[in-house]
Amino acid sequence: MENGKKVIIHAYKFDGQLYRTWEFPIVIKETDEYICVTIQGTHVITASNTDERFFHSKLVRPTIWYFFKNEWYNMIVSKKGNKFYYYINLASPFIIEEDVIKYIDFDLDYRVPDAKAGAINLLDLNEFHEHSVKYQYPEKLINKIKQVQSDILNKFNRHEFKHYLDYELIYYYDNLKGNKNKDDKTK
């Protein structure tokens, strides 16, 4: 995908239900390893108003999102004030159809609240257990997700994710957007 191209991102649940949409992120970098988009200024729409996380919002923090071509996760890097944090979302490898990046969300996430502090937190374990029953995740898939969790923790412990904390890229797009948002919060 070419730099500057506007795309749409769709996250699905295992049963094929569209779960969340990000409208018009901009591709900022593609390598053999990943596609990176900026999602600052994008609209986020949750598909179901019965979902406890139902919301429409606009992302205002400087944020980039890596979609890895050969991994079962993607990674969001965001700037809040003077700190950077990242969020790793366990997900299927993505596909692209008609400028839409699509993936299946497997509920589990890791959050690193301060990129320099060295702590990692597992999120949404209860949601994963509920959905593994509700959507009847096959045992093979559950084993793959457990393997991916282990891989993520090993990479974190070896500091491999810090490679993707591209501060210059985030600052560049923060300045490009004019840093109009002084309170640096998601609406």
Side-chain angles (χ1 to χ4, degrees), residues 137-151:
Y137 291 177
E139 185 176 339
K140 186 176 180 180
L141 176 61
I142 291 171
N143 290 336
K144 177 65 178 177
I145 291 168
K146 288 178 182 178
Q147 175 197 343
V148 172
Q149 284 184 275
S150 179
D151 291 346

Side-chain angles (χ1 to χ4, degrees), residues 16-128:
Q17 167 194 344
L18 178 62
Y19 164 65
R20 193 165 285 157
T21 299
W22 289 260
E23 290 184 330
F24 312 119
I26 299 170
V27 174
I28 56 176
K29 189 174 187 178
E30 181 172 11
T31 69
D32 291 339
E33 185 183 3
Y34 60 79
I35 293 175
C36 184
V37 300
T38 178
I39 56 175
Q40 182 179 2
T42 63
H43 291 274
V44 183
I45 302 163
T46 300
S48 171
N49 61 3
T50 60
D51 188 309
E52 66 185 35
R53 294 181 182 176
F54 174 72
F55 63 89
H56 290 225
S57 67
K58 183 176 180 180
L59 292 168
V60 293
R61 285 190 193 113
T63 305
I64 58 176
W65 194 349
Y66 291 93
F67 289 91
F68 298 99
K69 296 179 178 181
N70 296 308
E71 300 291 354
W72 280 64
Y73 57 84
N74 53 64
M75 184 170 116
I76 296 171
V77 180
S78 191
K79 177 180 171 269
K80 184 176 182 180
N82 291 325
K83 291 187 178 182
F84 289 85
Y85 69 90
Y86 58 101
Y87 187 90
I88 302 166
N89 178 38
L90 274 77
S92 68
F94 71 91
I95 62 169
I96 298 173
E97 292 181 338
E98 298 180 9
D99 298 330
V100 180
I101 297 172
K102 300 178 178 183
Y103 69 91
I104 299 170
D105 182 286
F106 292 120
D107 313 308
L108 293 174
D109 307 293
Y110 286 95
R111 186 170 190 272
V112 178
D114 181 349
K116 294 182 180 179
I120 189 168
N121 303 311
L122 176 63
L123 306 174
D124 301 329
L125 186 58
N126 289 339
E127 183 179 355
F128 171 74

Side-chain angles (χ1 to χ4, degrees), residues 28 38 40 60-64 79 81-82 84 166-182 184:
I28 56 176
T38 178
Q40 182 179 2
V60 293
R61 285 190 193 113
T63 305
I64 58 176
K79 177 180 171 269
N82 291 325
F84 289 85
D166 193 334
Y167 302 121
E168 289 181 21
L169 194 59
I170 293 171
Y171 279 121
Y172 174 78
Y173 280 94
D174 187 23
N175 291 330
L176 187 69
K177 299 270 185 181
N179 198 12
K180 297 172 191 165
N181 175 42
K182 298 301 180 196
D184 211 25

